[in-house]
Amino acid sequence: MKNKFMNICVEILSNLIFMMALTSISQCCQGRMYQPVVDGKLKEEIMNSKKRI
C-alpha cells in the first residue's frame, strides 16, 4: 500500500516538473519569436529622443 502511494506521488511530481519545464521553454521561444523587429530609422529616432531627455 505504501509503495503504491509513493509511486503515485512520484508520478504526479514528475508530471508537474515536466509541465513546468515545457511551459518555461515555450515562453522563452515565444518571447524570441514575437519580438518586434525595429528598423534602423526607427531605432535612430528612439535613440535620439532618449538623448534629448
Side-chain angles (χ1 to χ4, degrees):
M1 182 71 180
K2 185 178 177 183
N3 196 14
K4 187 176 181 180
F5 178 72
M6 289 298 288
N7 285 340
I8 291 171
C9 288
V10 168
E11 186 177 345
I12 290 172
L13 283 174
S14 63
N15 286 337
L16 182 64
I17 292 170
F18 181 67
M19 288 302 294
M20 287 170 57
L22 282 180
T23 303
S24 62
I25 289 171
S26 67
Q27 286 176 351
C28 188
C29 291
Q30 285 178 355
R32 287 190 190 135
M33 202 179 299
Y34 295 115
Q35 223 172 17
V37 178
V38 180
D39 63 345
K41 186 177 179 183
L42 181 60
K43 187 176 179 181
E44 262 184 53
E45 289 178 15
I46 292 170
M47 294 304 287
N48 289 335
S49 68
K50 285 185 178 180
K51 287 178 183 175
R52 283 185 238 149
I53 295 175

